[in-house]
Amino acid sequence: MPQPAVSTHQLTKHYGRIRALENLTLDIPEGSVFGILGPNGSGKTTTLGMLLDVLNPTKGTFLWFGSEPGPENRRKTGSLLETPCFYPYLSAIVNLKIIAEIKKSGFDRIDEVLKTVGLYERRNSPYRTFSLGMKQRLALAAALLCDPPLLILDEPTNGLDPIGIAEIRDIITAVSRQGKTVILASHLLDEVQKVCSHFCILDKGVLVYTGPVSDASDSEQRVEVGATDMELLKKTVVTYPYLIRYEEGNATITATIPADKVSEFSGHITRKGIIITHFVILRKSLEKQFLAILNDQP
Amino acid sequence: MKRLFAIEWYKLKNHSPFWIFAGLHILILLLIYMSAKFFLDFLAGKGEMINEVIDPSVIPIFGFPDIWHNMTYIAGFLKIIPAIYVIISVCNEISYGTMRQNIMNGMSRVEFMQSKFFLILILSLSVTLFLLVAGLTLGFIYTREIEMHSIVKYSGFLAAYFLQVTVYQLIAFLLALLIKRTGLAMGLLILYTYIVEPIVVFRIKTEWIKGLFPLKAINNLIRLPFGKYMLRETQDYVALQDLGIVLAYAVLFIYLIILVLRKRDL
């Protein structure tokens, strides 16, 4: 089994009586785009803050590529946590020079990353003159500066226009295609679904789900069926051996069945001599999955 | 080390308040030194009271070797200026979120502290260097007979002055880390320096206990030099005991700064 890029063991953070994160044990596979999902205040930023040594864990440990965490690891990580933070009186270039010095990475990539995020023309303007979207772009440039094997992004699309959001998505995809690991915290499910290969869900500081994105959306399938004889249809659906659950709609029944049983399911119905008037495979979105997982919580 | 210095220098050289503070500091020092001579000449022209004791215009305050003691003592009154700049710099790092960002980018917390020590070092060294140049200039102008040993004598006060401003800036650094707000930290430093400690020290009768308070200890490194011109006994050297107390304070402040930086959630 390949070594995880980051693995945490019972990572816990309490702020006085507030339990921001509780016993998080998680492996983030190397080369994955790992989404951390959760409603506001679920512990996403707290987790990343501890990984980046700006928060001291109350309890627990974590490893980077199998070794103890330290400044060397952070130098090889591009990170963007919450709002972008730069020296407002310094230009984009000087701000990036400071970061390059911190990361011991040399200045030769500065122009390149500024072009990547579309700020090259404004490279000599002071940071304070930037719009929110430009600030976010500069933060992304800083994260990409040392060509890091690991990228940690917390709500990277905050404050960006639709074009910017699409560009971020392209950058993440390009980075992960080079075999690099990306950790992406977000409350936007759509964002995670589009780019992530793995995800976990945090709720009130507790890990409630972790797994590959495909598992979550493919293991179950919802099918909407309608027929001329609804009574018989219902009887047939209820007796279907692989049925997970069903809901009765107005003129349809929505059945949740294993994803690989869809055609067998339709065969099961037609064999009973029922004439199907309506058969729709509902695309299962991560959002429904997300809400379902959260609703299953006690 | 060079890396941390480079990082701090990038922040410093483009920060206009730094140049304003540096310019102000040097301007005020120049004004004081230039006006002191006029003031003495002015005294000489006034009343016989003073003239009976001594003719003020012949007091060698700017002659070697006295100049080092006199200059550094006067300069000690302005140590609040670099200290305030340290507060501005550290509080800005906190309010801009750049301290946190620097650490996320791969500085260790101790390295952050070291980069600020470089700031303190830059400020202390440059003002000490200014005193050296100004002292040599004034000394050569005002000394009647120049001898090598008299130039060097008392120049140890420059080192004492360097230590004085450095340790005072350490206090400012610690205060800025604890208070986090520029205005409040500045206010507290000024309040403590000019009101709280002087009152407390004034009420204490025993001399050696007075010397245990941080500011008193720092100031004791360079004691009032002018008494000797009125034939009073004057301590014209840095006492080992005073030096020991100040160094102990320096270690304590550095330890507390590390402690705060280590323990804090940024």
Side-chain angles (χ1 to χ4, degrees), chain A residues 13 53-54 56 74 87, chain B residues 93 103 107 109 265-266:
Chain A
K13 179 72 187 176
D53 191 39
V54 290
N56 294 308
R74 294 199 302 279
Y87 297 93
Chain B
E93 296 272 4
I103 286 165
M107 255 191 184
R109 291 170 184 232
D265 285 337
L266 303 171

Side-chain angles (χ1 to χ4, degrees), chain A residues 86-264:
Chain A
F86 293 95
Y87 297 93
Y89 57 91
L90 296 178
S91 68
I93 281 223
V94 177
N95 268 302
L96 290 184
K97 277 183 180 173
I98 289 177
I99 291 165
E101 286 282 359
I102 291 175
K103 290 188 174 295
K104 303 182 178 172
S105 68
F107 296 163
D108 39 315
R109 271 177 59 86
I110 289 181
D111 284 356
E112 188 187 328
V113 292
L114 281 173
K115 282 173 187 157
T116 307
V117 299
L119 281 179
Y120 188 69
E121 268 66 51
R122 292 291 301 274
R123 65 191 179 281
N124 290 317
S125 312
Y127 173 73
R128 72 174 123 74
T129 64
F130 284 11
S131 70
L132 181 58
M134 290 165 75
K135 288 176 177 173
Q136 195 75 8
R137 281 160 187 271
L138 185 62
L140 190 68
L144 295 170
L145 187 60
C146 66
D147 198 15
L150 174 62
L151 210 54
I152 294 183
L153 306 172
D154 185 10
E155 310 281 2
T157 52
N158 256 357
L160 289 181
D161 52 25
I163 299 168
I165 292 175
E167 282 172 5
I168 293 245
R169 197 179 301 138
D170 291 345
I171 289 170
I172 292 174
T173 316
V175 164
S176 81
R177 218 172 269 144
Q178 295 165 27
K180 292 166 181 168
T181 313
V182 182
I183 302 176
L184 175 72
S186 182
H187 62 268
L188 301 172
L189 297 143
D190 186 47
E191 194 172 285
V192 170
Q193 190 173 28
K194 279 186 180 132
V195 297
C196 291
S197 60
H198 295 68
F199 78 112
C200 73
I201 297 178
L202 292 176
D203 185 35
K204 297 182 192 107
V206 179
L207 180 70
V208 294
Y209 181 86
T210 176
V213 167
S214 51
D215 274 9
S217 38
D218 289 356
S219 63
E220 295 180 357
Q221 185 63 60
R222 278 150 50 93
V223 181
E224 206 176 64
V225 207
T228 42
D229 189 346
M230 288 300 289
E231 281 296 304
L232 185 60
L233 177 68
K234 189 184 166 191
K235 219 181 276 171
T236 313
V237 168
V238 173
T239 55
Y240 181 63
Y242 298 106
L243 183 75
I244 296 166
R245 58 182 168 267
Y246 76 99
E247 302 138 49
E248 237 172 310
N250 229 348
T252 55
I253 292 173
T254 306
T256 305
I257 54 170
D260 53 348
K261 295 280 192 262
V262 175
S263 52
E264 197 198 298

Side-chain angles (χ1 to χ4, degrees), chain B residues 151-218:
Chain B
I151 298 176
V152 184
K153 196 184 173 192
Y154 292 158
S155 60
F157 278 113
L158 281 176
Y161 174 75
F162 174 78
L163 188 64
Q164 198 175 59
V165 280
T166 303
V167 177
Y168 191 60
Q169 287 174 81
L170 286 178
I171 299 179
F173 185 6
L174 180 62
L175 201 65
L177 274 183
L178 291 172
I179 308 288
K180 299 180 192 171
R181 302 236 176 95
T182 316
L184 197 58
M186 255 196 265
L188 280 176
L189 184 70
I190 291 170
L191 194 72
Y192 183 79
T193 306
Y194 296 110
I195 296 170
V196 176
E197 204 192 282
I199 289 177
V200 173
V201 167
F202 180 74
R203 288 176 157 263
I204 291 170
K205 296 283 173 282
T206 333
E207 195 60 33
W208 69 271
I209 295 179
K210 288 183 182 199
L212 290 179
F213 284 85
L215 277 182
K216 186 72 181 162
I218 290 171

Side-chain angles (χ1 to χ4, degrees), chain B residues 29-30 47 54 65 88 97 135 141 143 154 167 185 189 210-211 252 259:
Chain B
L29 282 174
L30 275 177
I54 192 167
I88 291 176
I141 294 174
T143 312
Y154 292 158
V167 177
L189 184 70
K210 288 183 182 199
L252 175 72
L259 199 69

